[in-house]
């Protein structure tokens, strides 16, 4: 096939784009350092806000669900901080998991608000 790179050229071209850890090749430079810092800052802010309102969450019908989701958010946040520099795929997955669980909390809060269960400030 004329004009297409052979496999050795592909490997040579990708040599700096991936890192090898524990016999697993992972892409690197998926995120800029400033992006990972901003994502962590935003995740910390959102978690701290929910944690600060934990008392109010405990008064709602779904208190056990909210408590479980808060614990998950905390564990995911720890994982994201741990893998931020060493494994960008795991960091991306942690970010995705965090916002998925945070979104579930917001969805349940919106339902509780529609039912008139939330008290306005």
């Amino acid at each position: 096939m004329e004009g297409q790179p052979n496999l050795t050229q592909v490997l040579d071209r990708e040599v700096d784009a991936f890192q090898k850890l524990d016999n697993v090749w992972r892409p690197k430079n998926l995120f800029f350092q400033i992006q990972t810092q901003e994502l962590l800052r935003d995740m910390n802010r959102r978690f701290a806000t929910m944690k600060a309102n934990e008392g109010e969450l405990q008064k709602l019908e779904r208190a056990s669900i909210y408590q479980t989701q808060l614990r998950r958010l905390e564990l995911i946040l720890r994982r994201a901080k741990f893998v931020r520099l060493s494994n960008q795929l795991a960091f991306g997955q942690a970010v995705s998991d965090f916002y998925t669980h945070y979104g579930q909390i917001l969805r349940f809060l919106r339902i509780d608000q529609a039912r008139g269960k939330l008290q306005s400030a």
Side-chain angles (χ1 to χ4, degrees), residues 41-79:
R41 189 174 297 123
D42 183 59
M43 291 163 56
N44 271 321
R45 181 185 57 80
R46 292 174 192 269
F47 175 72
T49 300
M50 282 298 167
K51 194 69 172 171
N53 290 307
E54 189 173 16
E56 188 176 344
L57 290 173
Q58 293 298 326
K59 296 176 185 175
L60 299 172
E61 290 177 17
R62 294 185 178 95
S64 63
I65 294 173
Y66 292 128
Q67 189 65 31
T68 301
Q69 293 294 354
L70 278 176
R71 272 189 252 121
R72 286 182 182 162
L73 289 179
E74 185 175 18
L75 292 173
I76 292 167
L77 193 54
R78 285 184 190 172
R79 181 176 45 148

Side-chain angles (χ1 to χ4, degrees), residues 64-121:
S64 63
I65 294 173
Y66 292 128
Q67 189 65 31
T68 301
Q69 293 294 354
L70 278 176
R71 272 189 252 121
R72 286 182 182 162
L73 289 179
E74 185 175 18
L75 292 173
I76 292 167
L77 193 54
R78 285 184 190 172
R79 181 176 45 148
K81 289 176 183 177
F82 181 75
V83 299
R84 180 174 72 94
L85 298 176
S86 63
N87 186 346
Q88 292 196 341
L89 286 177
F91 177 76
Q93 183 65 48
V95 169
S96 175
D97 290 346
F98 180 89
Y99 287 112
T100 297
H101 289 289
Y102 186 79
Q104 288 175 350
I105 292 172
L106 294 179
R107 184 179 67 132
F108 286 136
L109 285 174
R110 183 65 72 183
I111 292 169
D112 286 344
Q113 183 183 39
R115 290 177 169 174
K117 303 287 183 181
L118 293 182
Q119 302 169 8
S120 57

